C-alpha cells in the first residue's frame, strides 16, 4: 500500500530514514515522500516525519462517504500542490464540507493560516481519528493523515529525564530515533549497542522502540547518568511488551499503573528483559570488549569541544585529528567483534567555517579499509547526511555502514 510522509525540518535526513525502512521511496517535491509497505507505519517510530498519510485510491467524495454519519466530522486540508496558498486550501475544505452537508453530515472545518496545517494544529485537533480527518492534497492526489508527530511527548522524554548534562551536548530524541532507524528494520528484541552512550538518549529510544539497549561510555559519570535515566524509563514500563511502543498517539499513559514521573507507555503482560545495571558499563570504545550479541550499532561519537564560533584553522586541525582518531579507533575495535552485515550508524562532527560551509572529517576511505561498506541511498548522497540547526557551529554528519 502507498503511504505519504511529510518530511521534517531536515528533509534529506528524513528521506534517508524512510529509505532504510520502506520500499519504493520517492520524493514529491521537497516536503513530501511517498513509499510502500505492507504493514501500517507508525509515526511514533519515525523521528524525521512530521505526518504520515495513506493514499486515497478512488475519488475523494467516495472516501468521504465512508466516514461515520452519527458523529460530527472535523475536517482539515493541507495542500502541498505547486502554487498552493491558504485561500485555496480553505476553499477546497469548504467545497468538501458542502458536499458532505448535502450527504447529511455535520462538519466543522479547521481554518487554514497557510496552505498546509502545522503539525501542532493537526495534533491538537486530533486530525487522525475516525471522525477527525486531515486530507493532504498533492496535485490531483489525496491522502488521509493517519498519524502526527507528538512534539509534546518528545519534549517530555528529553526534559523530564532525571539526569541531564548540557555540557556534553544534548542529543535530540528525534535524532536518536533516526540513527536507530538508519540501521534498518530490525526484529523486535534486537540488541542495540551505543558505545558512546552519554546520558542514554539512544538507549532510551531503542528501548521504547522494542529493542534491548546496551551502552558503554568512557566516563563513569555518564554511565551512571544512563543507568539513572533507564531506571526512570523502566519504572513506568514494568509491564510493557518489547514489541510495542511505550507511549500512545497523544503521549498519554494507556495503563492504569503508569507512574506520573515516568514516560508514556503501552502496557501488556510481558516485562522488559533488561535492567539499567546490566545495560550500561564503563569502557573505552577504542579498546573495550563488548558482550555479544550485537545486532546493530547506533551512536553519536565524540563531537569535540563545544563551540559558539567557528574555530580557527589550528584549533580545527587539532579537533579533526582528535575526533578522527577516536572514530577510526572505535571502528577498528568494533570490526573484530561484530558479524558480517551488521549495521553501524555513527554521527560524527562537522565544523562551520566562516564561508558558511561545513568542514567534515572525510574518513570514508579509511573506514572502508577497516572492513565496512558505506551504505548508499537512492535519493541522496553522503553530502546530504548533515544534521544541524541554522548556523550551528558543530554539526553532525551521519555515516551509515555495514560490516563486510
Amino acid at each position: 500500500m502507498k503511504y505519504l510522509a511529510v518530511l521534517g525540518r531536515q528533509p534529506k535526513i528524513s528521506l534517508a530514514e524512510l529509505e532504510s525502512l520502506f520500499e519504493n521511496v520517492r520524493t514529491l517535491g521537497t516536503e513530501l515522500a511517498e513509499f510502500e509497505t505492507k504493514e501500517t507505519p507508525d509515526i511514533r517510530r519515525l523521528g524525521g516525519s512530521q505526518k504520515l498519510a495513506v493514499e486515497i485510491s478512488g475519488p475523494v467524495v467516495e472516501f468521504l462517504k465512508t466516514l461515520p454519519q452519527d458523529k460530527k466530522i472535523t475536517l482539515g486540508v493541507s495542500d502541498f500542490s505547486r502554487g498552493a496558498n491558504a485561500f485555496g486550501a480553505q476553499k477546497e475544505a469548504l467545497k468538501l464540507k458542502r458536499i458532505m452537508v448535502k450527504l447529511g453530515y455535520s462538519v466543522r472545518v479547521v481554518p487554514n493560516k497557510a496552505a498546509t496545517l502545522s503539525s501542532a494544529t493537526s495534533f491538537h485537533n486530533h486530525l487522525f481519528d475516525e471522525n477527525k480527518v486531515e486530507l493532504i492534497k498533492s496535485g490531483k492526489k489525496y491522502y488521509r493523515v493517519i498519524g502526527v508527530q507528538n512534539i509534546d511527548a518528545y519534549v517530555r522524554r528529553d526534559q523530564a529525564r532525571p539526569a541531564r548534562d548540557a555540557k556534553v551536548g544534548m542529543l535530540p530524541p528525534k535524532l536518536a530515533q533516526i540513527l536507530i532507524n538508519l540501521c534498518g528494520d530490525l526484529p523486535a528484541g534486537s540488541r542495540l549497542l551505543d558505545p558512546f552512550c552519554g546520558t542514554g538518549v539512544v538507549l532510551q529510544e531503542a528501548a521504547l522502540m522494542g529493542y534491548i539497549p546496551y551502552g558503554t561510555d568512557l566516563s563513569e559519570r555518564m554511565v551512571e547518568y544512563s543507568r539513572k535515566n533507564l531506571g526512570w524509563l523502566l519504572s513506568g514500563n514494568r509491564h510493557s511488551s518489547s514489541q510495542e511502543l511505550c507511549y500512545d498517539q497523544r503521549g498519554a499513559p494507556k495503563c492504569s499503573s503508569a507512574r506520573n514521573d515516568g514516560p508514556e507507555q503501552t502496557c501488556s503482560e510481558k516485562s522488559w528483559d533488561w535492567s539499567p545495571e546490566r545495560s550500561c558499563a564503563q569502557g573505552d570504545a577504542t579498546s573495550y570488549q563488548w558482550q555479544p550479541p550485537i545486532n546493530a550499532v547506533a551512536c553519536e561519537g565524540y563531537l569535540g569541544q563545544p563551540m559558539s564560533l567557528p574555530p580557527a584553522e589550528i584549533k580545527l586541525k587539532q579537533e579533526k585529528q582528535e575526533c578522527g582518531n577516536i572514530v577510526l579507533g572505535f571502528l577498528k575495535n568494533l570490526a573484530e567483534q561484530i558479524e558480517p552485515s551488521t549495521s553501524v550508524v555513527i554521527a560524527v562532527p562537522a565544523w562551520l567555517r566562516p564561508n558558511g560551509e561545513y568542514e567534515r572529517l572525510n574518513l570514508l576511505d579509511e573506514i572502508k579499509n577497516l572492513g565496512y561498506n558505506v551504505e548508499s541511498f537512492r535519493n541522496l548522497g553522503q553530502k546530504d547526511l548533515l544534521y544541524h540547526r541554522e548556523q550551528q557551529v558543530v554539526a553532525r554528519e551521519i555515516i551509515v555502514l555495514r560490516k563486510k
Side-chain angles (χ1 to χ4, degrees):
M1 185 171 290
K2 290 185 178 180
Y3 293 90
L4 187 78
V6 178
L7 304 177
R9 295 182 179 180
Q10 308 270 338
K12 293 180 179 178
I13 303 291
S14 304
L15 195 60
E17 180 184 34
L18 293 176
E19 285 197 26
S20 297
L21 298 173
F22 305 115
E23 298 177 352
N24 299 325
V25 179
R26 67 186 189 98
T27 57
L28 303 178
T30 59
E31 299 177 89
L32 302 177
E34 194 177 65
F35 61 93
E36 296 180 17
T37 179
K38 295 179 181 179
E39 297 182 1
T40 304
D42 193 330
I43 188 70
R44 297 167 297 178
R45 296 183 67 94
L46 298 173
S49 296
Q50 295 181 342
K51 301 179 185 179
L52 289 181
V54 62
E55 181 184 33
I56 297 175
S57 56
V60 67
V61 174
E62 294 303 312
F63 161 73
L64 295 174
K65 291 179 181 179
T66 66
L67 299 177
Q69 277 195 309
D70 59 335
K71 298 180 181 179
K72 183 173 183 177
I73 304 298
T74 301
L75 177 66
V77 171
S78 290
D79 193 348
F80 285 88
S81 306
R82 182 176 299 179
N85 54 43
F87 175 79
Q90 191 73 59
K91 184 177 179 181
E92 179 72 10
L94 293 173
K95 181 187 77 173
L96 296 175
K97 176 181 177 177
R98 287 193 294 271
I99 293 173
M100 295 181 72
V101 168
K102 289 182 180 179
L103 293 172
Y105 288 90
S106 175
V107 182
R108 178 181 78 87
V109 168
V110 178
N112 285 78
K113 297 181 180 179
T116 61
L117 299 175
S118 69
S119 295
T121 297
S122 301
F123 184 82
H124 292 299
N125 281 278
H126 302 158
L127 296 181
F128 40 78
D129 286 345
E130 181 186 28
N131 63 315
K132 297 178 181 180
V133 179
E134 178 180 359
L135 298 177
I136 291 180
K137 186 174 184 291
S138 178
K140 295 181 179 180
K141 296 181 71 172
Y142 285 88
Y143 304 80
R144 178 183 182 169
V145 171
I146 59 172
V148 182
Q149 200 170 65
N150 183 353
I151 187 61
D152 295 336
Y154 281 109
V155 170
R156 283 194 293 273
R157 297 211 302 277
D158 183 21
Q159 298 184 3
R161 296 183 305 144
R164 304 171 77 244
D165 190 342
K167 293 182 180 179
V168 299
M170 304 298 289
L171 180 67
K174 286 184 184 181
L175 179 55
Q177 280 188 318
I178 291 171
L179 295 178
I180 296 167
N181 283 327
L182 288 173
C183 292
D185 189 12
L186 304 172
S190 295
R191 195 160 180 252
L192 186 133
L193 169 67
D194 179 356
F196 303 89
C197 64
T199 62
V201 180
V202 169
L203 303 181
Q204 163 188 293
E205 295 304 314
L208 289 171
M209 294 166 71
Y211 307 132
I212 298 173
Y214 177 35
T216 58
D217 198 280
L218 182 63
S219 167
E220 179 63 31
R221 182 167 63 95
M222 290 297 101
V223 171
E224 290 303 316
Y225 277 19
S226 284
R227 287 173 176 168
K228 189 172 183 179
N229 287 331
L230 288 175
W232 166 80
L233 181 75
L234 193 60
S235 68
N237 292 277
R238 291 290 182 186
H239 308 290
S240 179
S241 166
S242 64
Q243 298 181 2
E244 295 182 86
L245 288 168
C246 305
Y247 38 88
D248 70 8
Q249 176 65 284
R250 296 182 180 84
K254 295 175 69 176
C255 170
S256 60
S257 64
R259 290 167 57 98
N260 292 331
D261 58 347
E264 306 76 10
Q265 65 177 12
T266 299
C267 269
S268 75
E269 294 181 356
K270 289 185 178 181
S271 61
W272 287 3
D273 54 356
W274 55 267
S275 72
E277 292 74 23
R278 296 197 313 268
S279 295
C280 304
Q282 183 181 14
D284 185 337
T286 64
S287 60
Y288 191 81
Q289 293 296 303
W290 292 284
Q291 298 175 0
I294 299 173
N295 302 121
V297 181
C299 59
E300 176 182 82
Y302 177 59
L303 299 183
Q305 297 182 12
M307 297 182 184
S308 58
L309 294 173
E313 288 297 329
I314 187 170
K315 177 64 175 176
L316 177 60
K317 184 178 180 180
Q318 294 171 348
E319 289 289 299
K320 288 183 66 176
Q321 182 174 2
E322 182 180 13
C323 294
N325 287 341
I326 292 174
V327 170
L328 294 175
F330 152 62
L331 291 174
K332 181 180 180 180
N333 180 41
L334 179 70
E336 301 171 354
Q337 302 184 51
I338 57 176
E339 298 295 327
S341 298
T342 301
S343 295
V344 179
V345 179
I346 181 171
V348 301
W351 294 269
L352 182 66
R353 307 311 298 136
N355 63 1
E357 300 294 324
Y358 282 91
E359 185 162 336
R360 307 181 187 217
L361 286 176
N362 296 322
L363 297 175
L364 294 188
D365 289 339
E366 295 174 81
I367 289 173
K368 292 176 183 177
N369 292 334
L370 295 176
Y372 299 90
N373 289 318
V374 179
E375 294 285 88
S376 59
F377 295 89
R378 178 182 176 185
N379 294 288
L380 63 161
Q382 183 60 39
K383 62 180 177 61
D384 297 314
L385 298 181
L386 199 66
Y387 186 99
H388 63 93
R389 301 185 304 274
E390 186 176 358
Q391 295 301 304
Q392 184 176 357
V393 176
V394 182
R396 298 170 171 97
E397 179 186 4
I398 300 173
I399 302 175
V400 184
L401 307 171
R402 193 173 293 273
K403 178 72 166 57
K404 292 181 181 178

